[in-house]
Amino acid sequence: MENTDVINGGIQTPDTWEVSVDKNSIYTNDDVIDAYLRGKADGVKANHNLFVDKLNENIKKSASFTKRMITFLNQIKINPISAHLKINAYNDFVILVTMSEDEFISENFLVSYDFASTIEEEVMSDEYYNVMFMFSDREKEGFNTSLLAADGFFLDYKMKK
């Protein structure tokens, strides 16, 4: 029986052969594949965490811009009934603000489009956030929120009363 030396992974070398590299630096194909899969899983987890963090940050930005729009509307004597958020992607948002038909068709309301454009232009340089405002008339009662959800507006802004 020859003398043998056991190296990383259980490989045995007989007396006639000598390992010319550090025994701890020898890796099998399985070792490399396992390391790749662990690294890939860690990378996917890190990307997921970044995605979730950026999404949460952008939802907060949308709330801030919604509040600014509602404040502006109140200043020009328009009383929004509701506001809703649609998320197209982690960096692409649509804010829908609803109001009574009388306020929606009033000439006083037209300046709201300019204010919305100002906000939309503010964020143009942000590659991780885009927002667009939409406006609609609605009745206070009997408004079908299921249709809003079907269109992707599944987050409702908590209006201050």
Side-chain angles (χ1 to χ4, degrees):
M1 183 92 179
E2 294 182 34
N3 286 337
T4 57
D5 190 14
V6 178
I7 59 173
N8 188 24
I11 300 169
Q12 297 181 353
T13 59
D15 290 344
T16 55
W17 292 98
E18 182 177 316
V19 177
S20 61
V21 295
D22 179 13
K23 294 176 185 178
N24 293 325
S25 68
I26 298 174
Y27 300 99
T28 66
N29 289 342
D30 287 342
D31 292 334
V32 173
I33 291 169
D34 288 345
Y36 171 79
L37 293 175
R38 273 193 311 277
K40 183 178 178 186
D42 290 347
V44 167
K45 183 178 178 184
N47 279 343
H48 178 266
N49 289 342
L50 284 172
F51 171 82
V52 170
D53 288 347
K54 189 51 83 172
L55 179 62
N56 286 329
E57 178 183 322
N58 289 342
I59 290 172
K60 288 177 185 175
K61 283 181 184 179
S62 296
S64 175
F65 290 128
T66 301
K67 182 178 180 179
R68 277 179 59 189
M69 177 55 73
I70 290 170
T71 300
F72 174 79
L73 291 171
N74 287 330
Q75 289 171 349
I76 62 169
K77 308 295 185 232
I78 303 279
N79 299 304
I81 298 170
S82 65
H84 311 274
L85 184 64
K86 177 179 182 177
I87 303 172
N88 292 324
Y90 79 96
N91 62 345
D92 187 21
F93 295 78
V94 179
I95 299 168
L96 172 65
V97 179
T98 68
M99 63 208 66
S100 71
E101 183 179 7
D102 290 341
E103 291 177 330
F104 182 67
I105 62 174
S106 73
E107 283 193 41
N108 196 29
F109 173 69
L110 292 176
V111 295
S112 302
Y113 290 104
D114 292 334
F115 188 72
S117 292
T118 300
I119 292 174
E120 291 167 0
E121 288 172 10
E122 278 179 30
V123 302
M124 281 187 145
S125 62
D126 187 343
E127 69 179 292
Y128 298 109
Y129 183 76
N130 182 51
V131 68
M132 181 178 82
F133 278 93
M134 294 175 64
F135 302 95
S136 177
D137 64 325
R138 68 169 275 189
E139 298 174 12
K140 277 193 176 191
E141 303 301 322
F143 186 69
N144 191 341
T145 55
S146 296
L147 292 177
L148 281 178
D151 283 339
F153 293 95
F154 65 91
L155 292 174
D156 299 334
Y157 185 77
K158 295 179 183 177
M159 301 290 286
K160 305 266 195 263
K161 297 200 178 189

